[in-house]
Amino acid sequence: MQEKDCLFCRIIRGEIPSSKIYEDEYVYAFLDIAPSFAGHTLVVPKNHYKNILDIDAGEAGHIFAAIQKIAPAIIKVTGAEGFHVLQNNNEAAGQTVFHIHFHIIPRKTGDGMTLWTPTPYENMEKMLETAQKIRAEIQ
Ligand code: 5GP
Ligand code: ZN
């Protein structure tokens, strides 16, 4: 289940070169070409899914199993003290390649990377109201 012109499908098929880190029946992982830090890796299902709402949940399990194998190796090689598993959905959230992928980003204390600026609710009522509305939408 691949797409002809998708960048990551093409990398998986070997039509475009990549720095492969890991491969199994379901998963392909390779170094990000524009990393946050050395070792920044992309973990990708071999089948083409657009985002996290689209991927088969069983296949997402294979991705997580692969991350559990790959992340310790990245930590060992880079000397990282921690890491992110980060996944962007849709353009507004920074997704630029529309074949789902999980970033493994190694982190060290004081490395200067920031992810988000906290924006508190106006008050506790607003927070409870938001939670209630979201709960009501879950099917
Ligand atoms: P997104 O922004 O969609 O979450 O992440 C896409 C990632 O793919 C980016 O971090 C970008 O650097 C990486 N990327 C884009 N094109 C290529 C490529 O041709 N090869 C590799 N290895 N990474 C790529
Ligand atoms: Zn694809």
Side-chain angles (χ1 to χ4, degrees), residues 7-8 11 16-19 30-35 40 42 86-88 94-98 101 103:
L7 174 64
F8 286 175
I11 285 177
I16 294 173
S18 65
S19 308
F30 54 102
L31 290 182
D32 193 305
I33 205 165
H40 180 163
L42 302 174
L86 203 148
Q87 190 269 317
N88 299 326
Q95 187 175 12
T96 58
V97 178
F98 296 91
H101 50 280
H103 298 253

PDB file of all heavy atoms in Angstrom, residues 7-8 11 16-19 30-35 40 42 86-88 94-98 101 103, ligand 1:
ATOM      1  N   LEU A   7       7.230  11.141  -1.279  1.00  0.00           N
ATOM      2  CA  LEU A   7       8.669  11.177  -0.982  1.00  0.00           C
ATOM      3  C   LEU A   7       9.097   9.995  -0.108  1.00  0.00           C
ATOM      4  O   LEU A   7      10.100   9.324  -0.389  1.00  0.00           O
ATOM      5  CB  LEU A   7       9.003  12.511  -0.293  1.00  0.00           C
ATOM      6  CG  LEU A   7      10.424  12.674   0.226  1.00  0.00           C
ATOM      7  CD1 LEU A   7      11.433  12.645  -0.916  1.00  0.00           C
ATOM      8  CD2 LEU A   7      10.557  13.975   1.021  1.00  0.00           C
ATOM      9  N   PHE A   8       8.352   9.745   0.972  1.00  0.00           N
ATOM     10  CA  PHE A   8       8.783   8.684   1.886  1.00  0.00           C
ATOM     11  C   PHE A   8       8.522   7.294   1.291  1.00  0.00           C
ATOM     12  O   PHE A   8       9.308   6.370   1.526  1.00  0.00           O
ATOM     13  CB  PHE A   8       8.127   8.841   3.259  1.00  0.00           C
ATOM     14  CG  PHE A   8       8.716   9.982   4.072  1.00  0.00           C
ATOM     15  CD1 PHE A   8       8.172  10.348   5.301  1.00  0.00           C
ATOM     16  CD2 PHE A   8       9.823  10.700   3.604  1.00  0.00           C
ATOM     17  CE1 PHE A   8       8.719  11.388   6.042  1.00  0.00           C
ATOM     18  CE2 PHE A   8      10.367  11.750   4.342  1.00  0.00           C
ATOM     19  CZ  PHE A   8       9.813  12.092   5.560  1.00  0.00           C
ATOM     20  N   ILE A  11      11.530   6.784  -0.760  1.00  0.00           N
ATOM     21  CA  ILE A  11      12.697   6.452   0.080  1.00  0.00           C
ATOM     22  C   ILE A  11      12.623   4.986   0.501  1.00  0.00           C
ATOM     23  O   ILE A  11      13.609   4.244   0.415  1.00  0.00           O
ATOM     24  CB  ILE A  11      12.772   7.400   1.307  1.00  0.00           C
ATOM     25  CG1 ILE A  11      13.283   8.776   0.843  1.00  0.00           C
ATOM     26  CG2 ILE A  11      13.657   6.824   2.403  1.00  0.00           C
ATOM     27  CD1 ILE A  11      13.339   9.834   1.930  1.00  0.00           C
ATOM     28  N   ILE A  16      15.008   6.865  -3.702  1.00  0.00           N
ATOM     29  CA  ILE A  16      15.738   8.040  -3.229  1.00  0.00           C
ATOM     30  C   ILE A  16      16.628   7.552  -2.083  1.00  0.00           C
ATOM     31  O   ILE A  16      16.151   6.816  -1.219  1.00  0.00           O
ATOM     32  CB  ILE A  16      14.763   9.136  -2.733  1.00  0.00           C
ATOM     33  CG1 ILE A  16      13.944   9.672  -3.912  1.00  0.00           C
ATOM     34  CG2 ILE A  16      15.489  10.260  -2.020  1.00  0.00           C
ATOM     35  CD1 ILE A  16      12.840  10.625  -3.529  1.00  0.00           C
ATOM     36  N   PRO A  17      17.911   7.940  -2.085  1.00  0.00           N
ATOM     37  CA  PRO A  17      18.806   7.428  -1.040  1.00  0.00           C
ATOM     38  C   PRO A  17      18.457   7.968   0.346  1.00  0.00           C
ATOM     39  O   PRO A  17      17.920   9.078   0.471  1.00  0.00           O
ATOM     40  CB  PRO A  17      20.193   7.925  -1.481  1.00  0.00           C
ATOM     41  CG  PRO A  17      19.974   8.927  -2.546  1.00  0.00           C
ATOM     42  CD  PRO A  17      18.585   8.789  -3.074  1.00  0.00           C
ATOM     43  N   SER A  18      18.737   7.176   1.372  1.00  0.00           N
ATOM     44  CA  SER A  18      18.519   7.618   2.754  1.00  0.00           C
ATOM     45  C   SER A  18      19.552   6.953   3.654  1.00  0.00           C
ATOM     46  O   SER A  18      20.115   5.928   3.297  1.00  0.00           O
ATOM     47  CB  SER A  18      17.105   7.244   3.218  1.00  0.00           C
ATOM     48  OG  SER A  18      16.969   5.830   3.271  1.00  0.00           O
ATOM     49  N   SER A  19      19.769   7.567   4.819  1.00  0.00           N
ATOM     50  CA  SER A  19      20.682   6.979   5.816  1.00  0.00           C
ATOM     51  C   SER A  19      19.859   6.058   6.698  1.00  0.00           C
ATOM     52  O   SER A  19      19.351   6.462   7.748  1.00  0.00           O
ATOM     53  CB  SER A  19      21.312   8.075   6.670  1.00  0.00           C
ATOM     54  OG  SER A  19      21.877   9.049   5.847  1.00  0.00           O
ATOM     55  N   PHE A  30      15.103   6.222   9.225  1.00  0.00           N
ATOM     56  CA  PHE A  30      16.279   6.831   8.587  1.00  0.00           C
ATOM     57  C   PHE A  30      16.520   8.205   9.191  1.00  0.00           C
ATOM     58  O   PHE A  30      15.630   8.804   9.813  1.00  0.00           O
ATOM     59  CB  PHE A  30      16.073   6.937   7.066  1.00  0.00           C
ATOM     60  CG  PHE A  30      14.807   7.642   6.653  1.00  0.00           C
ATOM     61  CD1 PHE A  30      14.839   8.956   6.207  1.00  0.00           C
ATOM     62  CD2 PHE A  30      13.574   7.001   6.724  1.00  0.00           C
ATOM     63  CE1 PHE A  30      13.673   9.615   5.835  1.00  0.00           C
ATOM     64  CE2 PHE A  30      12.390   7.657   6.359  1.00  0.00           C
ATOM     65  CZ  PHE A  30      12.451   8.956   5.913  1.00  0.00           C
ATOM     66  N   LEU A  31      17.742   8.713   9.003  1.00  0.00           N
ATOM     67  CA  LEU A  31      18.091  10.026   9.565  1.00  0.00           C
ATOM     68  C   LEU A  31      17.368  11.143   8.836  1.00  0.00           C
ATOM     69  O   LEU A  31      17.269  11.125   7.600  1.00  0.00           O
ATOM     70  CB  LEU A  31      19.602  10.262   9.468  1.00  0.00           C
ATOM     71  CG  LEU A  31      20.497   9.412  10.362  1.00  0.00           C
ATOM     72  CD1 LEU A  31      21.966   9.818  10.166  1.00  0.00           C
ATOM     73  CD2 LEU A  31      20.115   9.516  11.837  1.00  0.00           C
ATOM     74  N   ASP A  32      16.867  12.113   9.611  1.00  0.00           N
ATOM     75  CA  ASP A  32      16.262  13.324   9.029  1.00  0.00           C
ATOM     76  C   ASP A  32      17.353  14.143   8.345  1.00  0.00           C
ATOM     77  O   ASP A  32      18.446  14.334   8.905  1.00  0.00           O
ATOM     78  CB  ASP A  32      15.581  14.137  10.140  1.00  0.00           C
ATOM     79  CG  ASP A  32      14.665  15.215   9.592  1.00  0.00           C
ATOM     80  OD1 ASP A  32      15.125  16.052   8.784  1.00  0.00           O
ATOM     81  OD2 ASP A  32      13.489  15.230   9.969  1.00  0.00           O
ATOM     82  N   ILE A  33      17.059  14.627   7.144  1.00  0.00           N
ATOM     83  CA  ILE A  33      18.052  15.353   6.347  1.00  0.00           C
ATOM     84  C   ILE A  33      18.344  16.750   6.923  1.00  0.00           C
ATOM     85  O   ILE A  33      19.402  17.324   6.669  1.00  0.00           O
ATOM     86  CB  ILE A  33      17.575  15.452   4.871  1.00  0.00           C
ATOM     87  CG1 ILE A  33      18.753  15.620   3.933  1.00  0.00           C
ATOM     88  CG2 ILE A  33      16.548  16.548   4.676  1.00  0.00           C
ATOM     89  CD1 ILE A  33      18.396  15.351   2.474  1.00  0.00           C
ATOM     90  N   ALA A  34      17.411  17.280   7.716  1.00  0.00           N
ATOM     91  CA  ALA A  34      17.599  18.603   8.340  1.00  0.00           C
ATOM     92  C   ALA A  34      17.335  18.477   9.841  1.00  0.00           C
ATOM     93  O   ALA A  34      16.301  18.909  10.343  1.00  0.00           O
ATOM     94  CB  ALA A  34      16.654  19.620   7.705  1.00  0.00           C
ATOM     95  N   PRO A  35      18.267  17.862  10.557  1.00  0.00           N
ATOM     96  CA  PRO A  35      17.998  17.475  11.942  1.00  0.00           C
ATOM     97  C   PRO A  35      18.018  18.631  12.940  1.00  0.00           C
ATOM     98  O   PRO A  35      18.704  19.622  12.716  1.00  0.00           O
ATOM     99  CB  PRO A  35      19.164  16.517  12.251  1.00  0.00           C
ATOM    100  CG  PRO A  35      20.279  16.989  11.372  1.00  0.00           C
ATOM    101  CD  PRO A  35      19.627  17.483  10.108  1.00  0.00           C
ATOM    102  N   HIS A  40      18.824  12.738  14.911  1.00  0.00           N
ATOM    103  CA  HIS A  40      17.374  12.967  14.685  1.00  0.00           C
ATOM    104  C   HIS A  40      16.899  11.987  13.595  1.00  0.00           C
ATOM    105  O   HIS A  40      17.368  12.017  12.464  1.00  0.00           O
ATOM    106  CB  HIS A  40      17.200  14.424  14.250  1.00  0.00           C
ATOM    107  CG  HIS A  40      15.790  14.851  13.969  1.00  0.00           C
ATOM    108  ND1 HIS A  40      15.433  16.173  13.899  1.00  0.00           N
ATOM    109  CD2 HIS A  40      14.644  14.160  13.707  1.00  0.00           C
ATOM    110  CE1 HIS A  40      14.142  16.274  13.619  1.00  0.00           C
ATOM    111  NE2 HIS A  40      13.639  15.063  13.481  1.00  0.00           N
ATOM    112  N   LEU A  42      13.691   9.623  11.629  1.00  0.00           N
ATOM    113  CA  LEU A  42      12.278   9.512  11.248  1.00  0.00           C
ATOM    114  C   LEU A  42      11.897   8.037  11.193  1.00  0.00           C
ATOM    115  O   LEU A  42      12.591   7.245  10.547  1.00  0.00           O
ATOM    116  CB  LEU A  42      12.043  10.158   9.881  1.00  0.00           C
ATOM    117  CG  LEU A  42      12.420  11.640   9.777  1.00  0.00           C
ATOM    118  CD1 LEU A  42      12.278  12.126   8.335  1.00  0.00           C
ATOM    119  CD2 LEU A  42      11.570  12.493  10.717  1.00  0.00           C
ATOM    120  N   LEU A  86       7.988  12.764  18.385  1.00  0.00           N
ATOM    121  CA  LEU A  86       7.158  13.894  17.961  1.00  0.00           C
ATOM    122  C   LEU A  86       6.528  13.582  16.611  1.00  0.00           C
ATOM    123  O   LEU A  86       7.182  13.014  15.739  1.00  0.00           O
ATOM    124  CB  LEU A  86       8.108  15.077  17.839  1.00  0.00           C
ATOM    125  CG  LEU A  86       7.578  16.478  17.922  1.00  0.00           C
ATOM    126  CD1 LEU A  86       8.656  17.355  18.569  1.00  0.00           C
ATOM    127  CD2 LEU A  86       7.261  16.997  16.549  1.00  0.00           C
ATOM    128  N   GLN A  87       5.269  13.939  16.467  1.00  0.00           N
ATOM    129  CA  GLN A  87       4.568  13.555  15.228  1.00  0.00           C
ATOM    130  C   GLN A  87       3.604  14.669  14.859  1.00  0.00           C
ATOM    131  O   GLN A  87       2.719  15.023  15.637  1.00  0.00           O
ATOM    132  CB  GLN A  87       3.849  12.215  15.495  1.00  0.00           C
ATOM    133  CG  GLN A  87       3.273  11.529  14.281  1.00  0.00           C
ATOM    134  CD  GLN A  87       1.840  11.955  14.033  1.00  0.00           C
ATOM    135  OE1 GLN A  87       1.060  12.054  14.983  1.00  0.00           O
ATOM    136  NE2 GLN A  87       1.498  12.202  12.795  1.00  0.00           N
ATOM    137  N   ASN A  88       3.773  15.241  13.674  1.00  0.00           N
ATOM    138  CA  ASN A  88       2.966  16.386  13.238  1.00  0.00           C
ATOM    139  C   ASN A  88       1.815  15.928  12.346  1.00  0.00           C
ATOM    140  O   ASN A  88       2.024  15.115  11.444  1.00  0.00           O
ATOM    141  CB  ASN A  88       3.835  17.377  12.470  1.00  0.00           C
ATOM    142  CG  ASN A  88       4.971  17.926  13.322  1.00  0.00           C
ATOM    143  OD1 ASN A  88       4.812  18.117  14.523  1.00  0.00           O
ATOM    144  ND2 ASN A  88       6.112  18.172  12.716  1.00  0.00           N
ATOM    145  N   GLY A  94       2.664  21.800  11.282  1.00  0.00           N
ATOM    146  CA  GLY A  94       4.049  21.662  10.823  1.00  0.00           C
ATOM    147  C   GLY A  94       4.327  20.433   9.989  1.00  0.00           C
ATOM    148  O   GLY A  94       5.480  20.154   9.668  1.00  0.00           O
ATOM    149  N   GLN A  95       3.278  19.681   9.612  1.00  0.00           N
ATOM    150  CA  GLN A  95       3.521  18.504   8.754  1.00  0.00           C
ATOM    151  C   GLN A  95       3.862  18.972   7.347  1.00  0.00           C
ATOM    152  O   GLN A  95       3.126  19.756   6.745  1.00  0.00           O
ATOM    153  CB  GLN A  95       2.298  17.580   8.723  1.00  0.00           C
ATOM    154  CG  GLN A  95       2.577  16.270   7.987  1.00  0.00           C
ATOM    155  CD  GLN A  95       1.414  15.273   8.048  1.00  0.00           C
ATOM    156  OE1 GLN A  95       0.291  15.620   8.455  1.00  0.00           O
ATOM    157  NE2 GLN A  95       1.667  14.035   7.644  1.00  0.00           N
ATOM    158  N   THR A  96       4.990  18.513   6.845  1.00  0.00           N
ATOM    159  CA  THR A  96       5.413  18.896   5.491  1.00  0.00           C
ATOM    160  C   THR A  96       5.458  17.694   4.552  1.00  0.00           C
ATOM    161  O   THR A  96       5.407  17.860   3.340  1.00  0.00           O
ATOM    162  CB  THR A  96       6.806  19.567   5.505  1.00  0.00           C
ATOM    163  OG1 THR A  96       7.741  18.653   6.085  1.00  0.00           O
ATOM    164  CG2 THR A  96       6.791  20.862   6.298  1.00  0.00           C
ATOM    165  N   VAL A  97       5.580  16.502   5.121  1.00  0.00           N
ATOM    166  CA  VAL A  97       5.552  15.273   4.309  1.00  0.00           C
ATOM    167  C   VAL A  97       4.314  14.495   4.749  1.00  0.00           C
ATOM    168  O   VAL A  97       4.198  14.125   5.933  1.00  0.00           O
ATOM    169  CB  VAL A  97       6.826  14.430   4.487  1.00  0.00           C
ATOM    170  CG1 VAL A  97       6.739  13.148   3.668  1.00  0.00           C
ATOM    171  CG2 VAL A  97       8.069  15.231   4.101  1.00  0.00           C
ATOM    172  N   PHE A  98       3.412  14.228   3.799  1.00  0.00           N
ATOM    173  CA  PHE A  98       2.102  13.689   4.166  1.00  0.00           C
ATOM    174  C   PHE A  98       2.063  12.167   4.057  1.00  0.00           C
ATOM    175  O   PHE A  98       1.139  11.580   3.495  1.00  0.00           O
ATOM    176  CB  PHE A  98       1.018  14.419   3.373  1.00  0.00           C
ATOM    177  CG  PHE A  98       0.991  15.878   3.760  1.00  0.00           C
ATOM    178  CD1 PHE A  98       1.760  16.811   3.078  1.00  0.00           C
ATOM    179  CD2 PHE A  98       0.275  16.289   4.881  1.00  0.00           C
ATOM    180  CE1 PHE A  98       1.785  18.140   3.480  1.00  0.00           C
ATOM    181  CE2 PHE A  98       0.284  17.614   5.283  1.00  0.00           C
ATOM    182  CZ  PHE A  98       1.049  18.546   4.580  1.00  0.00           C
ATOM    183  N   HIS A 101       4.953  10.000   9.969  1.00  0.00           N
ATOM    184  CA  HIS A 101       6.293   9.681  10.465  1.00  0.00           C
ATOM    185  C   HIS A 101       6.431  10.196  11.889  1.00  0.00           C
ATOM    186  O   HIS A 101       5.810  11.194  12.258  1.00  0.00           O
ATOM    187  CB  HIS A 101       7.363  10.305   9.564  1.00  0.00           C
ATOM    188  CG  HIS A 101       7.123  11.752   9.285  1.00  0.00           C
ATOM    189  ND1 HIS A 101       6.221  12.178   8.328  1.00  0.00           N
ATOM    190  CD2 HIS A 101       7.623  12.872   9.856  1.00  0.00           C
ATOM    191  CE1 HIS A 101       6.196  13.497   8.309  1.00  0.00           C
ATOM    192  NE2 HIS A 101       7.023  13.940   9.234  1.00  0.00           N
ATOM    193  N   HIS A 103       9.163  11.542  14.606  1.00  0.00           N
ATOM    194  CA  HIS A 103      10.517  12.044  14.812  1.00  0.00           C
ATOM    195  C   HIS A 103      11.033  11.513  16.155  1.00  0.00           C
ATOM    196  O   HIS A 103      10.331  11.623  17.166  1.00  0.00           O
ATOM    197  CB  HIS A 103      10.524  13.570  14.926  1.00  0.00           C
ATOM    198  CG  HIS A 103      10.037  14.304  13.709  1.00  0.00           C
ATOM    199  ND1 HIS A 103      10.879  14.981  12.868  1.00  0.00           N
ATOM    200  CD2 HIS A 103       8.784  14.478  13.203  1.00  0.00           C
ATOM    201  CE1 HIS A 103      10.174  15.557  11.889  1.00  0.00           C
ATOM    202  NE2 HIS A 103       8.891  15.263  12.075  1.00  0.00           N
TER     203      HIS A 103
HETATM  204  P1  5GP B   1       7.318  17.024   9.214  1.00  0.00           P
HETATM  205  O1  5GP B   1       7.593  18.491   9.222  1.00  0.00           O
HETATM  206  O2  5GP B   1       6.401  16.614   8.078  1.00  0.00           O
HETATM  207  O3  5GP B   1       6.872  16.487  10.542  1.00  0.00           O
HETATM  208  O4  5GP B   1       8.722  16.342   8.965  1.00  0.00           O
HETATM  209  C1  5GP B   1       9.250  16.058   7.718  1.00  0.00           C
HETATM  210  C2  5GP B   1      10.723  15.842   7.916  1.00  0.00           C
HETATM  211  O5  5GP B   1      11.240  15.186   6.778  1.00  0.00           O
HETATM  212  C3  5GP B   1      11.507  17.139   8.099  1.00  0.00           C
HETATM  213  O6  5GP B   1      12.115  17.173   9.379  1.00  0.00           O
HETATM  214  C4  5GP B   1      12.518  17.112   6.960  1.00  0.00           C
HETATM  215  O7  5GP B   1      13.792  17.586   7.330  1.00  0.00           O
HETATM  216  C5  5GP B   1      12.556  15.656   6.555  1.00  0.00           C
HETATM  217  N1  5GP B   1      12.840  15.423   5.149  1.00  0.00           N
HETATM  218  C6  5GP B   1      12.258  16.065   4.088  1.00  0.00           C
HETATM  219  N2  5GP B   1      12.752  15.585   2.940  1.00  0.00           N
HETATM  220  C7  5GP B   1      13.660  14.621   3.273  1.00  0.00           C
HETATM  221  C8  5GP B   1      14.509  13.766   2.491  1.00  0.00           C
HETATM  222  O8  5GP B   1      14.522  13.782   1.261  1.00  0.00           O
HETATM  223  N3  5GP B   1      15.290  12.905   3.177  1.00  0.00           N
HETATM  224  C9  5GP B   1      15.318  12.861   4.537  1.00  0.00           C
HETATM  225  N4  5GP B   1      16.133  11.978   5.121  1.00  0.00           N
HETATM  226  N5  5GP B   1      14.527  13.650   5.307  1.00  0.00           N
HETATM  227  C10 5GP B   1      13.711  14.517   4.675  1.00  0.00           C
END
